């Protein structure tokens, strides 16, 4: 029997999402969680968002508690371990654990660089190629991988590694990376640079789980650059959405908690090691930074519209402002117990 068929009787899974002002993105997240539930049919599975959308992470945790769950396996539905995974979500979990000492909360790792994630990304590239108006050999094609962009160099570096794995595995003539915000080059700049290399086709792959403001902006900027360079064919590949391999990877992150195989890659974490340019971030305390946008809603559904653009999601100059990780240097919430990674 697959280990996903059942968990210990008092255990449940909490899927921690980022949240979006875009209702379509929230719906896609909900569909992914529904897919995860099919892999754990005998267990309680809940979800919540760090910001913007409802339910919040705290509300999801409370829903599990109300159903008698006392051991929660919390898994982040996020691609890489930047500030949200290392800092903001653990802060939410720590606060809940401190308020409910009868409960045990264990935090799983991010989706990370995983063979299934690479295969899912390759499938999205192949779908875009099949839908193209005219065939162009991969040797005359450039793969542009677009990451979200954070101020965590380890997370940004993962985009570069995945770019090489995909391009070499698929036989592309070249690969480049760019970012939707925070890190450089940005999408429009990166595509302009890539176009100068002279390849007949550029395939733009947003390495994102769901749609939203940023993904739609990536496609818009791709169209703008393509209009300036009609001799180059630009293909827009899809983001992951609820690809079965992504859901399988997420399920394994919950299983890893129970098996003890839950280690994060700490070698280049700026909160654990002094990284060039980020030495001041080492050992920062574990605190959250999303109280002002927690659960405010999407678009016109928001009960309390936020008066400004949240700086590290919808801004081209914003940053992912995490300050600590779930590693051993992180400080527990006063009076509570630190969430175990």
């Amino acid at each position: 029997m697959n280990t996903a068929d059942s968990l210990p009787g008092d255990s449940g899974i909490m899927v921690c999402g980022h949240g979006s002002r875009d209702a379509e993105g929230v719906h896609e997240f909900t569909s992914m969680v529904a897919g995860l539930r099919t892999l754990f049919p005998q267990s309680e599975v809940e979800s919540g968002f760090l910001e913007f959308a409802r339910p919040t992470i705290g509300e999801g945790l409370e829903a599990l508690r109300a159903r008698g769950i006392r051991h929660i396996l919390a898994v982040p539905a996020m691609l890489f371990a930047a500030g949200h995974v290392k800092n903001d979500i653990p802060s939410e979990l720590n606060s809940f654990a401190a308020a409910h000492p009868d409960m045990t909360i264990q935090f799983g790792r991010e989706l990370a660089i995983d063979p299934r994630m690479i295969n899912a990304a390759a499938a999205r590239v192949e779908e875009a190629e099949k839908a193209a108006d005219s065939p162009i050999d991969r040797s005359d094609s450039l793969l542009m991988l677009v990451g979200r962009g954070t101020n965590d160099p380890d997370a940004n570096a993962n985009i570069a590694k995945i770019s090489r794995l995909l391009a070499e595995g698929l036989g592309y003539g070249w690969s480049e990376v760019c970012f939707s915000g925070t890190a450089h080059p940005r999408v429009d700049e990166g595509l302009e640079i890539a176009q100068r290399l002279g390849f007949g086709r550029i395939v733009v792959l947003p390495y994102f789980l769901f749609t939203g403001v940023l993904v739609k902006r990536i496609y818009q900027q791709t169209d703008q650059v393509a209009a300036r360079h009609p001799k180059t064919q630009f293909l827009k590949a899809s983001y992951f959405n609820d690809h079965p391999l992504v859901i399988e990877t997420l399920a394994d992150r919950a299983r890893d908690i129970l098996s003890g195989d839950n280690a994060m890659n700490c070698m280049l974490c700026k909160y654990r090691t002094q990284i060039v340019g980020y030495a001041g971030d080492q050992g920062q305390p574990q605190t959250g930074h999303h109280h002002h946008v927690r659960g405010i809603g999407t678009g016109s559904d928001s009960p309390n519209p936020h008066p400004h653009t949240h700086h590290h999601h919808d801004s081209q100059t914003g940053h992912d402002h995490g300050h600590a990780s779930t590693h051993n240097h992180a400080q527990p919430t006063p009076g509570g117990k630190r969430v175990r990674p």
Side-chain angles (χ1 to χ4, degrees), residues 84-125:
H84 295 320
V85 172
K86 294 176 180 177
N87 175 46
D88 299 310
I89 294 176
S91 178
E92 297 283 331
L93 301 178
N94 283 333
S95 296
F96 191 87
H100 302 91
D102 59 323
M103 300 187 67
T104 298
I105 301 178
Q106 291 180 281
F107 190 34
R109 65 176 302 197
E110 77 285 4
L111 293 166
I113 300 178
D114 185 285
R116 288 162 298 191
M117 299 299 295
I118 302 299
N119 286 331
R124 296 304 190 216
V125 170

Side-chain angles (χ1 to χ4, degrees), residues 7-316:
L7 299 175
D10 64 345
S11 298
I13 296 174
M14 175 67 195
V15 184
C16 302
H18 182 277
S20 173
R21 287 191 179 95
D22 189 300
E24 186 180 357
V26 172
H27 175 74
E28 290 176 352
F29 173 86
T30 302
S31 295
M32 184 197 69
V33 174
L36 184 67
R37 286 194 179 98
T38 66
L39 300 181
F40 294 86
Q42 306 301 319
S43 303
E44 296 288 350
V45 178
E46 267 297 337
S47 63
F49 298 99
L50 182 64
E51 59 187 11
F52 299 127
R54 306 292 290 268
T56 65
I57 289 175
E59 289 168 345
L61 293 169
E62 187 57 51
L64 287 173
R65 184 174 183 273
R67 295 200 289 271
I69 299 301
R70 292 298 177 265
H71 178 202
I72 294 177
L73 310 177
V75 290
M78 296 187 181
L79 292 167
F80 304 123
H84 295 320
V85 172
K86 294 176 180 177
N87 175 46
D88 299 310
I89 294 176
S91 178
E92 297 283 331
L93 301 178
N94 283 333
S95 296
F96 191 87
H100 302 91
D102 59 323
M103 300 187 67
T104 298
I105 301 178
Q106 291 180 281
F107 190 34
R109 65 176 302 197
E110 77 285 4
L111 293 166
I113 300 178
D114 185 285
R116 288 162 298 191
M117 299 299 295
I118 302 299
N119 286 331
R124 296 304 190 216
V125 170
E126 291 166 348
E127 290 167 2
E129 291 174 334
K130 290 177 181 177
D133 293 333
S134 59
I136 294 180
D137 194 88
R138 285 178 178 171
S139 63
D140 189 29
S141 299
L142 181 147
L143 178 65
M144 174 63 80
L145 197 68
V146 185
R148 184 187 192 109
T150 78
N151 68 355
D152 190 312
D154 193 22
N156 292 335
N158 284 336
I159 289 293
K161 184 170 185 176
I162 291 170
S163 172
R164 293 298 308 188
L165 288 169
L166 281 170
E168 293 189 20
L170 292 172
Y172 268 70
W174 197 259
S175 66
E176 292 286 344
V177 300
C178 60
F179 300 92
S180 66
T182 307
H184 290 277
R186 300 295 169 77
V187 177
D188 50 357
E189 179 187 7
L191 289 175
E192 287 288 356
I193 293 172
Q195 188 277 331
R196 296 173 199 162
L197 296 177
F199 287 89
R201 169 187 284 172
I202 295 177
V203 179
V204 180
L205 173 64
Y207 204 81
F208 284 66
L209 284 174
F210 312 112
T211 191
V213 174
L214 299 182
V215 170
K216 292 175 180 179
R217 181 187 296 152
I218 290 167
Y219 290 149
Q220 180 183 44
Q221 292 179 332
T222 300
D223 288 340
Q224 292 169 349
V225 175
R228 293 195 291 268
H229 304 284
K231 293 183 179 180
T232 303
Q233 184 186 86
F234 286 80
L235 300 184
K236 295 178 291 186
S238 176
Y239 47 91
F240 284 114
N241 202 349
D242 57 352
H243 194 286
L245 291 176
V246 174
I247 297 175
E248 287 181 19
T249 307
L250 188 64
D252 261 1
R253 296 299 177 259
R255 299 180 192 123
D256 290 344
I257 299 174
L258 292 177
S259 67
D261 185 18
N262 194 38
M264 296 176 70
N265 178 10
C266 302
M267 293 178 60
L268 296 175
C269 174
K270 69 172 184 174
Y271 301 117
R272 189 178 187 86
T273 304
Q274 288 195 354
I275 299 296
V276 174
Y278 297 88
D281 290 337
Q282 184 185 29
Q284 290 276 345
Q286 194 171 50
T287 54
H289 297 79
H290 292 76
H291 309 294
H292 61 300
V293 288
R294 184 189 296 134
I296 65 171
T298 56
S300 60
D301 295 331
S302 172
N304 181 26
H306 200 46
H308 65 276
T309 299
H310 191 44
H311 59 263
H312 73 282
H313 303 294
D314 299 341
S315 169
Q316 286 292 315

